[in-house]
Amino acid sequence: MLKSKGRSRFIFLCVAPAVILFTVFMIIPTLNVFRMSLFERGAYSPTETFVGLNNFEVLFQDAKFIRSMQNTILLIVVVTIITFFFALTFAAILTREKIKGQDFFRIIYYIPNILSIVVISGIFSAIYKPENGMLNTLLSFFAGETVQVLWKDAKLVMVSIIIAMVWQAIGYYMVMYMASMSAVSVSLYESASLDGAGRITQFFQITIPLIWTNIRTTLTFFIISNINMAFLFVKAMTSGGPGGASEVALSFMYNQKDAGLYGYSMAAGVVIFLFSFALSALVNRATKRTPLEY
Amino acid sequence: MSKSQSAERLYKVFIYIVLILLAVCIIVPVAWVFLASIKENSEFYGNPWALPMGFHWQNFVEAWNAAKMGEYMMNSVLVTAMALAILLVVALPAAYCLSRFKFKGSKFFNVAFMAGLFINVNYIVVPIFLMLRDGDVWIKKVFGSAFLLNNLFVLAVVYAATALPFTIYLLSGYFATLPHDFEEAAYIDGAGYGKAMTSIIFPMAKPSVITIILFNFLSFWNEYIISMTLMSSAQASRTLPVGLLNLMQAQQSAAQYGMMYAGLVMVMLPTLILYICVQKKLTQGMTVGGLKG
């Protein structure tokens, strides 16, 4: 009996600090997001008035919010497709081919992942600078005349952000695919070669079906992380500018906080959260296959 | 036969070109920033692809002193160290108990922390900010001075708390694989629960602890949204990424390019050095494990 008392005291001492921190800084704020979306709150006083779904009604008529959602969806779709294609291709090359310096390439490709988004946006502002920028000078060199593309202009700002996001994400997903691809048995490829299957056939008939579970997981990752990354990039690179052309969902939410519209900001947060959840569930369902095992 | 061989060779060459092209796309911009950090301000009005004319270390001195990057660096070191310490002290025992003891509510807590993996800080940063601000208002009423916002220690606590689900998930996964014989033997030798945990289990978890320190170091060091929100007062101590962001925004009008790129180097150098070291350590660890196995 004494032993069991000591046991529960030990367990309590071990678990309590983590549970307290987790509850105070994660559970309560999360519940608050949902609760506050139904309230209006003064900018400097903690008094709250219940407004029901009013915040949501205003939100769905807010052209700025709709634009930010459109931008977010654009980024999710385009960045996912481009990154997915490159990460998968490079992972297949690095695992399947005998490449000299395989480790070297893997190490290099992973570098963007360890840099702060602030650093990456600093690097890309040097690339995109209209005069004396890396990209424009390079383009001028090939065009033979001075090219002055305004990369952060309203027309091209989303393209600029897409390039930066893809640059950052390729290495991470490539490493994930490499891990699961290297688990595929070599004998499968050998027998496929004997049967006369080329690289492309092998890739689609063996590699893709066998890492399908991993691909599905990463697709959910893509959706969730692109929503967050879009925010981090936009906040550091353009702050939503010019004129809201590059505003994304979470940066819209954050800006409402700066304006003191806390309830409204949280309503946007709820919509974005539910959207990401629904989209993940949808993609997860659409990509469902019976797992193949050879 | 020779035709397919030459096709094969062509394919190989093509692959290498593609691989090198991507590597260049990643290395060149990063290397460019390093070179730019030692350029003189006048050089930024010429060809951006020109090599620096000399080593203009003054940029770093200016960034360190005038742009206060030195002070921010200290803040970042402090916050990252404190957050890592808090995280380890809190997460290690919790992960150990949750993965190896069955008690009332153990299942519930395991599920709760798993669910925490899906909570992203970007969604909850505003409620955290409001909670701390309300707390400050109350503390000010009772004690006279507020300390929750604009406080490096509180920032470190928030970092540690938001990293808990991922850390506990990783550690539990490792602890669950260990056989129970280890503790049984320790108990027979007369060790208590705490002793068995700290002197038998924790040392064995060293590889996963290193992984955790690594991942969380990178995320704490590079984080800027929470830091920007919770340390928003003008006199507050800033962390390095936030300081850099301000420097970048100020540079748009002042055009002090050299100083800005020196600041960029200061933020990314520690992570790059760590990454290079760890790459080596990881491969070493793998070969040692292979020899033992």
Side-chain angles (χ1 to χ4, degrees):
Chain A
M1 205 58 213
L2 197 75
K3 202 184 164 211
S4 112
K5 204 176 164 192
R7 181 176 180 268
S8 23
R9 202 176 60 188
F10 170 71
I11 291 174
F12 178 79
L13 284 178
C14 285
V15 178
V19 170
I20 291 170
L21 275 186
F22 179 63
T23 311
V24 171
F25 290 108
M26 293 197 83
I27 301 292
I28 294 177
T30 306
L31 296 177
N32 261 336
V33 171
F34 288 91
R35 190 187 59 81
M36 282 171 62
S37 68
L38 304 173
F39 287 84
E40 209 159 84
R41 184 187 155 120
Y44 291 102
S45 70
T47 43
E48 290 172 338
T49 35
F50 183 77
V51 292
L53 294 175
N54 189 27
N55 284 330
F56 292 94
E57 277 167 33
V58 180
L59 193 64
F60 286 122
Q61 269 147 45
D62 190 336
K64 278 187 185 157
F65 179 69
I66 291 171
R67 189 177 194 183
S68 73
M69 282 305 277
Q70 284 168 343
N71 280 341
T72 306
I73 294 168
L74 174 79
L75 284 178
I76 293 175
V77 173
V78 178
V79 173
T80 302
I81 290 173
I82 301 176
T83 314
F84 181 73
F85 170 76
F86 277 113
L88 212 54
T89 314
F90 280 97
I93 291 174
L94 285 184
T95 41
R96 291 294 310 136
E97 307 291 334
K98 285 186 193 67
I99 300 285
K100 280 199 195 89
Q102 196 209 45
D103 284 337
F104 169 79
F105 285 118
R106 201 198 59 228
I107 292 171
I108 297 293
Y109 296 165
Y110 199 74
I111 285 179
N113 225 282
I114 58 159
L115 301 178
S116 175
I117 303 301
V118 180
V119 170
I120 295 177
S121 57
I123 292 174
F124 272 88
S125 47
I127 292 176
Y128 291 143
K129 219 161 52 147
E131 346 52 67
N132 303 319
M134 280 186 244
L135 195 53
N136 276 355
T137 325
L138 216 60
L139 290 178
S140 309
F141 177 76
F142 285 115
E145 54 180 355
T146 317
V147 182
Q148 283 245 4
V149 184
L150 298 171
W151 289 96
K152 287 192 181 170
D153 211 21
K155 257 194 287 179
L156 284 172
V157 70
M158 291 311 285
V159 176
S160 307
I161 291 171
I162 288 169
I163 295 173
M165 285 178 72
V166 170
W167 188 85
Q168 194 264 350
I170 285 181
Y172 175 76
Y173 290 101
M174 190 197 76
V175 168
M176 280 183 83
Y177 293 137
M178 277 176 79
S180 58
M181 278 181 192
S182 56
V184 177
S185 153
V186 184
S187 61
L188 285 176
Y189 293 107
E190 278 165 359
S191 50
S193 293
L194 286 180
D195 289 345
R199 282 192 177 84
I200 310 273
T201 324
Q202 287 178 22
F203 179 72
F204 284 107
Q205 301 293 328
I206 301 175
T207 310
I208 297 283
L210 281 176
I211 65 161
W212 191 252
T213 328
N214 182 291
I215 288 178
R216 281 181 69 197
T217 320
T218 55
L219 284 179
T220 317
F221 264 50
F222 268 121
I223 294 167
I224 295 171
S225 92
N226 277 343
I227 291 177
N228 290 306
M229 281 300 168
F231 170 47
L232 296 182
F233 272 96
V234 163
K235 193 84 193 137
M237 272 176 82
T238 67
S239 337
S246 66
E247 199 77 86
V248 291
L250 282 174
S251 71
F252 175 86
M253 169 184 143
Y254 196 85
N255 290 349
Q256 303 313 309
K257 169 244 161 202
D258 283 341
L261 302 165
Y262 298 112
Y264 195 52
S265 160
M266 293 299 94
V270 169
V271 173
I272 302 160
F273 177 76
L274 292 180
F275 167 76
S276 76
F277 200 79
L279 190 62
S280 306
L282 196 75
V283 167
N284 215 20
R285 222 196 150 107
T287 54
K288 196 160 190 163
R289 308 268 187 283
T290 35
L292 273 180
E293 273 168 41
Y294 286 103
Chain B
M1 197 67 199
S2 77
K3 196 182 169 195
S4 82
Q5 254 176 357
S6 72
E8 186 72 1
R9 181 167 296 162
L10 209 67
Y11 172 76
K12 265 269 147 71
V13 169
F14 175 71
I15 277 182
Y16 272 104
I17 289 173
V18 172
L19 284 173
I20 290 168
L21 212 62
L22 182 64
V24 165
C25 284
I26 286 167
I27 292 182
V28 166
V30 177
W32 188 91
V33 169
F34 274 89
L35 290 179
S37 71
I38 52 168
K39 279 184 181 176
E40 255 183 88
N41 223 8
S42 57
E43 293 177 59
F44 288 100
Y45 297 96
N47 182 0
W49 295 101
L51 288 173
M53 300 209 268
F55 288 86
H56 191 65
W57 294 115
Q58 195 60 29
N59 288 335
F60 284 90
V61 178
E62 270 173 29
W64 188 268
N65 295 322
K68 293 213 249 172
M69 292 302 265
E71 191 192 313
Y72 301 153
M73 175 86 90
M74 283 314 295
N75 292 336
S76 265
V77 169
L78 213 66
V79 170
T80 310
M82 281 193 294
L84 282 176
I86 297 167
L87 180 65
L88 286 179
V89 169
V90 172
L92 270 169
Y96 171 70
C97 282
L98 286 171
S99 60
R100 294 180 78 77
F101 287 90
K102 277 225 151 51
F103 55 94
K104 227 175 153 186
S106 59
K107 203 158 196 181
F108 170 77
F109 287 126
N110 271 315
V111 172
F113 278 113
M114 276 289 267
L117 284 173
F118 296 94
I119 303 176
N120 194 284
V121 267
N122 293 328
Y123 291 93
I124 58 172
V125 63
V126 177
I128 291 176
F129 166 77
L130 289 175
M131 184 172 73
L132 292 176
R133 206 182 64 180
D134 291 349
D136 264 351
V137 170
W138 184 79
I139 287 169
K140 208 166 186 174
K141 238 187 258 165
V142 180
F143 298 104
S145 69
F147 55 79
L148 290 178
L149 283 179
N150 307 312
N151 182 332
L152 285 176
F153 181 74
V154 175
L155 182 65
V157 172
V158 174
Y159 279 175
T162 50
L164 274 176
F166 170 68
T167 310
I168 288 181
Y169 168 76
L170 258 181
L171 282 173
S172 301
Y174 176 74
F175 286 143
T177 61
L178 297 175
H180 279 277
D181 307 352
F182 286 111
E183 290 116 311
E184 306 284 325
Y187 297 152
I188 288 166
D189 287 349
Y193 291 110
K195 183 91 178 152
M197 175 177 78
T198 49
S199 55
I200 310 283
I201 303 293
F202 286 178
M204 284 197 291
K206 212 172 147 192
S208 357
V209 171
I210 290 176
T211 317
I212 278 159
I213 292 179
L214 225 77
F215 276 110
N216 286 308
F217 168 81
L218 287 176
S219 80
F220 296 160
W221 184 266
N222 290 335
E223 204 288 328
Y224 78 96
I225 294 288
I226 303 179
S227 168
M228 187 170 74
T229 316
L230 300 188
M231 315 286 286
S232 51
S233 121
Q235 309 91 343
S237 4
R238 303 199 188 294
T239 55
L240 211 42
V242 180
L244 178 65
L245 197 62
N246 291 345
L247 189 63
M248 273 159 46
Q249 271 148 12
Q251 168 266 315
Q252 283 170 353
S253 52
Q256 294 210 295
Y257 296 112
M259 192 165 87
M260 184 188 98
Y261 292 120
L264 269 170
V265 169
M266 280 181 199
V267 181
M268 67 174 162
L269 200 57
T271 58
L272 280 173
I273 291 173
L274 179 84
Y275 177 64
I276 291 162
C277 295
V278 167
Q279 269 299 327
K280 224 174 194 174
K281 200 159 191 165
L282 277 180
T283 43
Q284 269 173 2
M286 272 189 251
T287 46
V288 169
L291 284 177
K292 269 186 191 161

